[in-house]
Amino acid sequence: MAQSAITWLNDLTALYTPTTSEFDAARRHRATIESRLDAFLGLHEMFEIGSLRHGTGVWSYSDADFLASLKGIQPGSPWTMLNKVKDTLQERFPTTTIVIRRPAVVCRFSDAHVEVVPAYPADAGYWIADPSDGWMKTYPKHHNQYVTDVNKKHDGAAKRLARRVKIWKYMRNVPVSSCYLEMRTAKHLDGEDTYLPLTDLYLTLKKMHDVGLASMNDPTGLGSRFGSCSSDSNRRDALSKLDTAVSRAQKAKDFYVKDDHEKAITQLKLLFNQ
């Protein structure tokens, strides 16, 4: 019997689902990073955020992400904060490549990549560097809860769909924020009563395309708007690739509805560059 399109999609998702052990090396660096930042800059807290924490990470692409809430007075420019954190960590790890990739400081250890997002506390949230410019307010704990609530509503589908959209991002080298993709996916499913894998994959991509990858309001109503890309050139590149993705996802959905799984899988392979 020929493979169904849903089975193919499930197999792809399983292939790119990280195991917990794959991130053990990155997590082992946490204690040293936390100790260094606390000693030299002062920390309120440091905790894990991002796709690994949310259960939407992609094997071999997602890093371990930590938010570091700093003590002291918030500077006028986020670059001051980012450079201080980078310099402090570089002195501790002189042979490690450490770079700034807003809003994070990325430590490229030989056995793992660790992203540290410096922040200053703001009520129940945090001020971090906006990927485009200036500061933005974020509520990672509330955002995680929002995605988790939508995920429960659809029996795990929200995180599964978010991972699939991120697989497309990485397989097609699309310069769009993973956080943006995750929140757009959750927002889409939050408004749906049922989940249909190929239909909702198509609709998630189409909705982002229809708004031109515009910044989105925080669905929790708490934080700043979520930006999609770090520059206009990246946004144009992402939109071009998204246009192709929408066409392929629609064809895959339509072939699936017609029970033509072979052609549906062909379109999915093109979508995910398999």
Side-chain angles (χ1 to χ4, degrees):
M1 182 177 178
Q3 185 181 33
S4 75
I6 300 300
T7 299
W8 187 92
L9 191 57
N10 288 338
D11 288 346
L12 178 77
T13 308
L15 178 65
Y16 285 99
T17 298
T19 63
T20 55
S21 62
E22 289 167 10
F23 288 90
D24 286 348
R27 285 169 168 154
R28 282 195 293 270
H29 292 289
R30 172 182 175 168
T32 308
I33 292 172
E34 188 171 7
S35 175
R36 175 72 181 184
L37 293 179
D38 191 32
F40 286 82
L41 299 179
L43 279 179
H44 291 291
E45 60 179 335
M46 182 166 150
F47 57 92
E48 197 169 357
I49 59 173
S51 57
L52 173 58
R53 174 66 176 173
H54 292 179
T56 60
V58 176
W59 170 75
S60 85
Y61 289 93
S62 297
D63 301 327
D65 304 322
F66 299 93
L67 185 140
S69 177
L70 302 174
K71 294 181 179 179
I73 299 174
Q74 181 179 340
S77 169
W79 282 109
T80 302
M81 170 188 68
L82 291 165
N83 283 318
K84 281 185 177 179
V85 170
K86 177 184 180 297
D87 292 345
T88 299
L89 294 178
Q90 192 69 78
E91 289 176 5
R92 174 60 182 83
F93 306 107
T95 62
T96 298
T97 299
I98 300 178
V99 299
I100 293 174
R101 191 172 69 194
R102 292 166 63 108
V105 175
V106 183
C107 302
R108 295 172 178 165
F109 298 106
S110 60
D111 58 351
H113 287 183
V114 178
E115 295 196 6
V116 179
V117 179
Y120 285 91
D123 302 322
Y126 305 88
W127 287 107
I128 65 172
D130 190 307
S132 56
D133 187 38
W135 294 93
M136 66 177 288
K137 191 178 288 187
T138 185
Y139 294 80
K141 296 175 182 177
H142 295 79
H143 297 154
N144 185 34
Q145 188 60 53
Y146 172 75
V147 174
T148 297
D149 289 344
V150 178
N151 197 52
K152 288 179 180 177
K153 174 183 174 182
H154 291 285
D155 297 323
K159 294 185 178 182
R160 194 158 57 248
L161 179 57
R163 177 173 280 127
R164 287 168 179 168
V165 175
K166 290 180 184 181
I167 293 171
W168 162 74
K169 160 192 162 75
Y170 292 119
M171 294 300 99
R172 284 297 179 183
N173 194 28
V174 186
V176 62
S177 162
S178 292
C179 181
Y180 179 86
L181 295 178
E182 184 165 321
M183 298 310 291
R184 279 287 187 192
T185 300
K187 180 67 174 176
H188 161 67
L189 279 184
D190 194 21
E192 299 295 316
D193 293 325
T194 58
Y195 170 68
L196 300 171
L198 292 184
T199 297
D200 287 304
L201 176 61
Y202 160 67
L203 288 175
T204 298
L205 295 170
K206 184 177 187 298
K207 286 180 178 179
M208 289 190 289
H209 179 270
D210 288 348
V211 299
L213 288 175
S215 297
M216 67 175 290
N217 291 329
D218 184 342
T220 67
L222 293 171
S224 306
R225 288 165 63 82
F226 289 94
S228 60
C229 303
S230 60
S231 67
D232 287 338
S233 61
N234 280 346
R235 181 173 167 274
R236 288 191 295 270
D237 183 20
L239 275 173
S240 175
K241 292 173 178 175
L242 182 57
D243 183 66
T244 303
V246 170
S247 175
R248 288 169 173 166
Q250 182 175 20
K251 289 176 182 177
K253 171 186 68 71
D254 291 344
F255 282 128
Y256 174 74
V257 170
K258 294 175 183 177
D259 205 30
D260 192 336
H261 292 270
E262 183 178 355
K263 289 184 178 178
I265 291 172
T266 296
Q267 292 300 319
L268 289 173
K269 287 180 177 179
L270 289 170
L271 174 65
F272 293 106
N273 196 24
Q274 299 298 299

